Amino acid sequence: MISSIVNEISTDLLIPLNRVEYLINSAPYRYKVYQIPKRSDSGSRTIAQPAKEVKRIQYWVMRNIFTELKIHKNATAYTCGKNILSNATPHSSHSYLLKFDFKDFFPSIKASDFIAFSSKYDNFCLSTEDLNRLVRVLFWQGERRDELCLSIGAPSSPLLSNAIMYDFDAIMTEYCEKNLMAYTRYSDDITVSMSSKVIRNTIFDEIMAIIKRLGSPKLTINDRKTVFASKAHRRIVTGLVLTNDNKVSLGRDKKRKIRAQICYFLQGRLSLEDIEKLKGMISYARDVEPEFVGRMEKKYGKLVIMGGAKK
């Protein structure tokens, strides 16, 4: 018997029923896999992009089944209305900072984690057969032929990872608020800030205990990227600088680069591609540090800066 989800996909996407069944059954293997170098670590990152038809079904699932997934307020990546500024701002008034990330975050989230998550989520109302079909649509069969996992490259992975991490985010937020700390998560990047140096020395053990107690997903902290910082040192959160007067800044290097690009633009030394990049940098700067853009407008003229920011 063909399930209702297959019928709906077939009707909505105008794909024959037997083709939908075939695509779902073969979906975990229909990925283009390639490597890209990591920005800060040695080695490479595995990207697995689903085939075009599989991607269409993943988008359908996001639009029709995942419309009301609960995402925690402190999960700031891949969320409408939130960005790296949302992730950095809660930490601007605290003196001490702990940053770390999870190793192989997306591939660490397995199909079994999704099954466990869906059992607690009443809005799905799916049969066992349809739930298993969702697993095949959303999860990738990695090269080692182990359990299906989320891939870096599937459009549904960011949303699904945020939803599955809801319990972790909620427990971390409750613990931090009780201890007068701030917590945010930007995908796999965790930031905790506090005003007391004493509690900073105990927070890491507490985080490890929370991960162990939850059990799902099985996450591993990347020890090499764990950072403790204070106002005595440069504090950077998702690429933005926390200043000692409790503000969030682009940082000197980014501002210096934008100034240089504006000068090159006025001298006619930028290619069309570089002008487009400058537009993006100015728009980004206006969101993060509008005072800086205001100073640039005063110095170089508003029309020049607006011309660099508008497309």
Side-chain angles (χ1 to χ4, degrees):
M1 179 179 178
I2 296 175
S3 69
S4 60
I5 192 173
V6 175
N7 276 309
E8 291 177 23
I9 292 170
S10 176
T11 300
D12 290 350
L13 301 184
L14 302 178
I15 303 174
L17 285 171
N18 60 348
R19 181 64 179 173
V20 174
E21 286 279 26
Y22 169 76
L23 289 172
I24 290 174
N25 288 333
S26 62
Y29 309 99
R30 297 171 63 84
Y31 284 73
K32 179 182 178 181
V33 181
Y34 55 94
Q35 306 291 323
I36 61 171
K38 293 184 178 180
R39 284 184 296 178
S40 55
D41 289 344
S42 58
S44 59
R45 191 184 309 278
T46 300
I47 307 297
Q49 290 190 338
K52 192 173 182 179
E53 289 178 302
V54 174
K55 192 179 291 186
R56 282 187 70 201
I57 297 177
Q58 290 175 344
Y59 277 120
W60 183 91
V61 171
M62 293 166 65
R63 290 192 304 268
N64 293 275
I65 297 179
F66 288 170
T67 55
E68 297 183 8
L69 285 181
K70 284 171 51 178
I71 308 299
H72 197 274
K73 64 178 182 178
N74 288 338
T76 56
Y78 323 123
T79 304
C80 183
K82 295 186 179 180
N83 50 33
I84 59 173
L85 181 61
S86 309
N87 191 67
T89 300
H91 307 287
S92 60
S93 61
H94 288 149
S95 299
Y96 299 97
L97 198 68
L98 165 64
K99 297 192 301 176
F100 66 90
D101 71 7
F102 294 119
K103 188 183 296 183
D104 299 326
F105 178 56
F106 279 7
S108 294
I109 300 176
K110 310 293 186 182
S112 56
D113 298 315
F114 175 67
I115 297 294
F117 163 78
S118 63
S119 68
K120 300 180 290 184
Y121 194 71
D122 296 335
N123 287 14
F124 278 147
C125 299
L126 296 172
S127 67
T128 301
E129 292 79 8
D130 276 349
L131 189 58
N132 288 333
R133 285 181 167 91
L134 275 189
V135 165
R136 299 190 71 79
V137 166
L138 301 169
F139 288 80
W140 167 55
Q141 178 65 72
E143 294 172 322
R144 292 191 297 268
R145 301 303 179 198
D146 51 5
E147 186 179 356
L148 299 181
C149 63
L150 288 185
S151 76
I152 303 172
S156 50
S157 291
L159 174 62
L160 196 49
S161 68
N162 270 346
I164 290 174
M165 288 292 288
Y166 183 89
D167 286 348
F168 176 83
D169 292 332
I171 293 171
M172 281 294 300
T173 297
E174 182 180 9
Y175 170 77
C176 288
E177 288 179 351
K178 282 183 178 178
N179 290 279
L180 304 179
M181 298 185 292
Y183 162 80
T184 58
R185 180 179 61 81
Y186 193 88
S187 186
D188 60 342
D189 290 326
I190 308 296
T191 305
V192 179
S193 60
M194 68 282 312
S195 298
S196 168
K197 188 175 182 178
V198 175
I199 197 169
R200 189 184 73 172
N201 297 325
T202 63
I203 178 65
F204 202 75
D205 289 339
E206 181 63 28
I207 293 168
M208 295 291 286
I210 290 171
I211 293 171
K212 186 176 181 180
R213 186 164 72 248
L214 283 173
S216 175
K218 291 183 172 65
L219 301 169
T220 303
I221 292 175
N222 188 346
D223 294 331
R224 290 184 302 166
K225 295 180 71 174
T226 298
V227 175
F228 289 97
S230 70
K231 282 191 173 182
H233 305 89
R234 197 168 185 231
R235 295 170 302 147
I236 301 176
V237 177
T238 44
L240 300 177
V241 176
L242 306 184
T243 66
N244 286 350
D245 58 350
N246 301 336
K247 294 181 180 179
V248 179
S249 171
L250 293 164
R252 290 182 206 163
D253 293 342
K254 285 192 179 76
K255 287 190 276 193
R256 189 181 296 118
K257 182 176 182 179
I258 291 172
R259 289 191 196 97
Q261 292 296 302
I262 291 172
C263 289
Y264 293 152
F265 171 68
L266 290 171
Q267 295 166 8
R269 294 169 58 186
L270 293 186
S271 66
L272 290 176
E273 182 181 353
D274 288 335
I275 291 172
E276 291 302 310
K277 289 179 181 178
L278 177 58
K279 291 176 181 179
M281 285 192 288
I282 293 174
S283 296
Y284 169 76
R286 195 183 299 277
D287 289 339
V288 173
E289 198 171 344
E291 299 88 353
F292 166 72
V293 177
R295 292 195 299 271
M296 293 301 97
E297 289 176 343
K298 187 174 181 179
K299 182 175 181 178
Y300 297 106
K302 193 167 185 178
L303 289 176
V304 170
I305 302 304
M306 288 178 67
K310 289 185 177 181
K311 294 185 178 180

